[in-house]
């Protein structure tokens, strides 16, 4: 019967009619996907600060992100959490001082716990932080860390001994005393070195002036970014010698309209072998820069259909999720936005054109009461189909007493299971999230932090420690996780496109750095396989252009795949938390 309803939904959708069937209406209250709150036991104690408790300015509400990366090459993903600050801190920084607050680096102990090694590693920062992106920018085999700030940014070069050195100024990427937000690494010109794009939000000088008040649901609240001057975005070309050159204008990615940039990510959206660049903007059209292959880009957001949703008006987009949710071989785009609007899923047709399919896929009406930030696609139950996760939280604490508001200040996360191909059903409260404390949350990132084959989640919260959700789903589904190591390509293999074929199941994924909301996901590629017991072929298209096809690929393992060498290591998983 379910198949008949699905066929009807597909027919109506193809005819342009928005349709939604709840294909899991008869499922029990407990979902097949289960998470448990593991942050306290894991030792993630650092509170994330963003302004004062009573918010009086837009600078006090945007929060910060976090990044998963293996800084000490022990095969376990560590967690870096970016902290914010206060206006007092920012005034101190402007005068050459430093913030009283710092970021956190948590080393993964491999037993479900983490150790705070911030001071030992030298990555505290002591500035008003916003986001991060992790990548091996100098190809020395150790993952480095770029941290965006309200103020000068950091480029923490990994020294290979558990410590880092900030080289942002000498490398030419500190960016000056500006409001920097989302950062992403990608080799846009194919020279084997990772370039860096950094989005900008607001002109910082305005934040030191008296802030205006605006009406909202019968109350006076601080005004949003509308009417304020934006900050420029920057593209830095990696020179291959530890330095970067600002090529923003000559590359054709100059933010001439000074839109309010949040999250940026490199991705090859038309499968021509060259990474394009997507930028989610707050209260303005989104940018999509098409890579022309000669060191230049062309902005095609409007013509390709991702500047605006189907209503034709700009949204306040914050978070970005990239993934091929429908197995077409072309990467789709999902963006979060302000409350009383829908989060938007743009389907990539593969012909230089995207379509807003938010209603047809089930993510439209459900999201209207929520104000969304971090988001990502990941296969939470290893059934071979990508699910979707978002964290949410309002910017106005006054929302708690607004009588006509659909939303609250503290908002729960949303977990959309792809319950049928192209159909998402929200199951958060049935997946263990009803027992997780609710906050006003911001940056989110996924990772299999305990290497058990299940995707876990971490996200930041205003005025609270980060949340760590351990995936304790129990199933007989198979999976494989792949870490790419480049040689002719950049060391991380960022930009590599992977195609996996297991019987009738064909999936596509890519290696990225910088996504969600000011955050970084697990740098490894994870495929769920359902009950399929054999991988027929794994194809890797490296950024250098080399294409490798591997036909002996083990299941339920973590693999190291090196450019030109195939699978060089097969690592056993750890015991599953739910068993």
């Amino acid at each position: 019967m379910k198949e008949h309803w699905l066929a009807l939904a597909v027919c109506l959708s193809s005819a342009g009619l928005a349709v939604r069937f709840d294909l899991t209406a008869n499922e029990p209250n407990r979902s097949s996907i289960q998470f448990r709150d593991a942050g306290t036991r894991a030792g993630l104690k650092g509170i994330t600060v963003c302004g004062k408790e009573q918010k009086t300015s837009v600078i006090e509400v945007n929060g910060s992100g976090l990044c998963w990366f293996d800084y000490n090459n022990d095969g376990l993903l560590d967690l870096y959490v970016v902290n914010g600050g206060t206006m007092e801190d920012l005034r101190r920084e402007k005068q050459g001082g430093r913030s009283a607050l710092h970021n956190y680096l948590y080393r993964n102990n491999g037993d479900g716990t983490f150790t705070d090694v911030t001071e030992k590693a030298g990555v505290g920062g002591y500035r008003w932080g916003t986001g991060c992106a992790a990548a091996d920018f100098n190809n020395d085999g150790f993952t480095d860390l770029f941290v965006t700030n309200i103020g000068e940014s950091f480029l923490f070069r990994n020294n290979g001994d558990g410590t880092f050195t900030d080289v942002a100024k000498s490398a030419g990427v500190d960016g000056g005393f500006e409001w920097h937000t989302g950062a992403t690494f990608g080799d846009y010109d194919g020279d084997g070195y990772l370039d860096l794009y950094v989005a900008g939000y607001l002109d910082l000088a305005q934040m030191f002036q008296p802030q205006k008040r605006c009406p909202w649901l019968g109350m006076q609240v601080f005004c949003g970014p509308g009417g304020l001057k934006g900050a420029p975005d920057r593209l830095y070309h990696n020179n291959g010698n530890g330095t970067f050159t600002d090529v923003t204008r000559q590359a054709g990615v100059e933010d001439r309209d000074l839109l309010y940039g949040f999250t940026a990510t490199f991705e090859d959206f038309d499968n021509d072998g060259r990474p394009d660049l997507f930028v989610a903007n707050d209260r303005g059209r989104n940018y999509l820069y098409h890579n022309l292959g000669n060191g230049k880009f062309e902005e095609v957001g409007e013509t390709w259909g991702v500047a605006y949703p189907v209503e034709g008006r700009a949204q306040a987009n914050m978070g970005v999720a990239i993934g091929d949710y429908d197995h077409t071989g072309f990467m789709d785009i999902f963006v979060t936005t302000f409350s009383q609007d829908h989060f938007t899923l743009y389907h990539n047709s593969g012909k230089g054109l995207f379509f807003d399919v938010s209603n047809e896929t089930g993510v439209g009406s459900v999201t209207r009461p929520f104000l969304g930030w971090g988001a990502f696609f990941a296969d939470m139950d290893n059934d071979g189909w990508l699910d979707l996760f978002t964290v949410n939280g309002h910017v106005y604490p006054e929302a708690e007493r607004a009588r006509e508001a659909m939303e609250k200040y503290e908002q729960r996360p949303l977990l959309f299971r792809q319950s049928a191909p192209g159909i998402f059903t929200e199951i958060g409260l049935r997946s263990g999230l009803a027992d997780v404390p609710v906050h006003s949350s911001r940056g989110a990132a996924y990772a299999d932090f305990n290497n058990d084959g299940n995707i876990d989640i971490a996200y930041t919260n205003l005025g609270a420690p980060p949340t760590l959700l351990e995936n304790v789903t129990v199933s007989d589904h198979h999976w494989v996780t792949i870490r790419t190591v480049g040689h002719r390509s950049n060391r991380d293999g960022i930009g590599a496109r992977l195609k996996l074929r297991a019987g009738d199941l064909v999936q596509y994924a890519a290696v990225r750095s910088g996504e969600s909301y000011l955050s970084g996901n697990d740098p490894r590629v994870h495929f769920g396989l359902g009950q399929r017991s054999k991988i027929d072929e794994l194809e890797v298209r490296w950024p250098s252009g080399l294409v490798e096809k591997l036909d002996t690929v083990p299941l339920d393992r973590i693999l190291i795949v090196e450019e030109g060498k195939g699978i060089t290591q097969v690592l056993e998983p750890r015991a599953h938390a739910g068993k």
Side-chain angles (χ1 to χ4, degrees):
M1 187 66 179
K2 181 184 290 186
E3 289 76 11
H4 294 303
W5 283 113
L6 176 59
L8 178 59
V10 171
C11 291
L12 293 175
S13 176
S14 64
L17 300 175
V19 62
R20 176 79 178 111
F21 296 112
D22 186 356
L23 301 181
T24 60
N26 294 321
E27 291 185 0
N29 290 331
R30 179 179 171 88
S31 166
S32 59
I33 302 175
Q34 289 296 308
F35 287 92
R36 67 183 178 196
D37 189 351
T40 301
R41 175 182 177 274
L44 306 183
K45 301 178 181 178
I47 294 175
T48 303
V49 175
C50 188
K52 295 181 179 180
E53 183 175 352
Q54 293 302 316
K55 310 302 183 184
T56 60
S57 170
V58 66
I59 201 171
E60 296 185 307
V61 299
N62 288 343
S64 56
L66 39 70
C67 284
W68 290 102
F69 73 118
D70 182 5
Y71 85 94
N72 55 357
N73 286 353
D74 64 354
L76 298 166
L77 290 179
D78 311 296
L79 181 62
Y80 189 77
V81 181
V82 182
N83 203 354
T86 65
M87 285 305 298
E88 289 75 13
D89 293 320
L90 196 57
R91 292 187 180 93
R92 195 178 303 117
E93 292 175 42
K94 188 179 181 181
Q95 297 172 359
R98 72 177 196 170
S99 171
L101 303 171
H102 63 79
N103 305 330
Y104 298 90
L105 176 59
Y106 295 102
R107 187 189 67 217
N108 192 334
N109 299 323
D111 59 359
T113 69
F114 292 77
T115 298
D116 185 342
V117 295
T118 309
E119 292 305 314
K120 180 180 179 180
V123 292
Y126 293 95
R127 288 179 187 160
W128 190 325
T130 54
C132 56
D136 183 1
F137 82 91
N138 54 4
N139 290 339
D140 67 352
F142 296 95
T143 305
D144 311 295
L145 185 65
F146 185 78
V147 181
T148 54
N149 296 309
I150 299 178
E152 294 182 355
S153 295
F154 297 116
L155 177 56
F156 290 116
R157 184 189 64 209
N158 192 328
N159 299 322
D161 60 358
T163 68
F164 294 76
T165 300
D166 176 29
V167 297
K169 191 171 290 294
S170 61
V173 294
D174 67 282
F177 196 71
E178 294 183 356
W179 190 338
H180 307 103
T181 49
T184 179
F185 283 100
D187 182 7
Y188 77 88
D189 57 352
D191 64 356
Y193 287 93
L194 290 171
D195 310 298
L196 175 65
Y197 184 91
V198 183
Y201 190 60
L202 288 175
D203 179 75
L204 196 49
Q206 302 164 108
M207 297 297 101
F208 295 94
Q209 302 169 2
Q211 302 297 296
K212 295 181 180 179
R213 306 283 286 177
C214 291
W216 180 74
L217 294 181
M219 297 182 291
Q220 289 294 312
V221 297
F222 67 83
C223 295
L228 297 175
K229 181 181 178 182
D233 303 341
R234 303 291 184 194
L235 175 62
Y236 298 100
H237 175 261
N238 191 331
N239 301 320
N241 60 0
T243 68
F244 292 76
T245 299
D246 186 339
V247 295
T248 309
R249 178 169 295 180
Q250 67 194 65
V253 295
E254 186 176 14
D255 181 12
R256 293 187 178 91
D257 294 334
L258 292 180
L259 299 184
Y260 314 126
F262 264 142
T263 302
T265 188
F266 280 106
E267 178 54 57
D268 181 5
F269 291 108
D270 58 350
N271 290 357
D272 64 356
R274 300 185 293 263
D276 310 302
L277 179 63
F278 179 79
V279 184
N281 289 311
D282 187 6
R283 296 193 64 173
R285 71 185 189 279
N286 298 319
Y287 292 140
L288 177 55
Y289 295 106
H290 179 223
N291 192 332
L292 301 177
N294 56 359
K296 296 185 181 298
F297 293 80
E298 177 187 16
E299 208 285 295
V300 296
E302 292 184 340
T303 57
W304 283 31
V306 295
Y308 312 103
V310 68
E311 294 86 353
R313 52 170 173 72
Q315 293 183 302
N317 290 145
M318 276 77 79
V320 178
I322 306 293
D324 178 20
Y325 75 89
D326 54 353
H327 299 176
T328 64
F330 291 90
M331 294 296 159
D332 310 295
I333 302 174
F334 175 84
V335 289
T336 58
T337 190
F338 208 82
S339 59
Q340 302 184 33
D341 195 358
H342 65 85
F343 300 174
T344 304
L345 177 56
Y346 294 104
H347 174 258
N348 188 344
S349 72
K351 300 177 182 179
L353 200 60
F354 289 76
F355 295 96
D356 178 353
V357 295
S358 308
N359 288 330
E360 295 92 328
T361 55
V363 301
S365 60
V366 176
T367 57
R368 287 187 177 274
F370 295 88
L371 198 163
W373 301 88
F376 53 77
F377 288 104
D379 188 351
M380 305 295 184
D381 55 358
N382 288 332
D383 66 350
W385 294 89
L386 293 176
D387 308 301
L388 180 62
F389 183 85
T390 77
V391 295
N392 313 289
H394 214 279
V395 296
Y396 298 135
E398 293 88 347
E400 294 295 331
R401 60 176 187 271
R403 294 182 179 179
E404 300 178 12
M406 295 189 298
E407 63 271 28
K408 297 295 184 181
Y409 179 64
E410 297 177 332
Q411 300 180 3
R412 69 177 179 90
L414 297 174
L415 173 58
F416 292 90
R417 179 175 179 263
Q418 196 168 172
S419 52
I423 302 294
F424 291 90
T425 301
E426 206 287 305
I427 59 169
L429 294 178
R430 291 184 281 147
S431 298
L433 303 186
D435 300 324
V436 177
V438 179
H439 303 281
S440 187
S441 305
R442 295 298 184 264
Y446 70 80
D448 181 5
F449 81 88
N450 49 11
N451 287 345
D452 67 353
N454 276 359
I455 293 296
D456 311 297
I457 300 171
Y459 54 89
T460 62
N461 306 300
L462 297 192
T467 298
L468 178 64
L469 299 179
E470 184 180 10
N471 190 334
V472 293
T473 302
V474 178
S475 77
D476 56 358
H477 292 166
H478 296 291
W479 57 274
V480 66
T481 296
I482 301 156
R483 177 191 163 208
T484 53
V485 178
H487 293 292
R488 285 175 54 200
S489 304
N490 66 85
R491 180 77 178 184
D492 292 323
I494 290 173
R497 180 65 62 91
L498 283 71
K499 175 183 177 181
L500 183 142
R501 181 168 57 86
D504 63 336
L505 180 67
V506 181
Q507 299 180 72
Y508 301 83
V511 184
R512 284 182 294 272
S513 173
E515 201 178 337
S516 184
Y517 173 72
L518 316 184
S519 297
N521 295 315
D522 192 329
R524 306 168 299 184
V525 169
H526 180 89
F527 290 108
L529 300 169
Q531 294 183 340
R532 296 161 186 85
S533 58
K534 182 179 184 297
I535 296 174
D536 298 304
E537 183 179 78
L538 173 65
E539 178 183 295
V540 183
R541 188 188 75 186
W542 295 91
S544 66
L546 176 67
V547 177
E548 293 184 90
K549 296 184 178 182
L550 310 173
D551 57 9
T552 304
V553 183
L555 298 170
D556 305 326
R557 298 291 185 272
I558 299 168
L559 312 179
I560 310 298
V561 177
E562 296 193 43
E563 185 177 17
K565 299 181 180 181
I567 300 172
T568 57
Q569 290 187 60
V570 178
L571 306 176
E572 296 287 331
R574 294 178 178 258
H576 191 284
K579 296 182 178 178

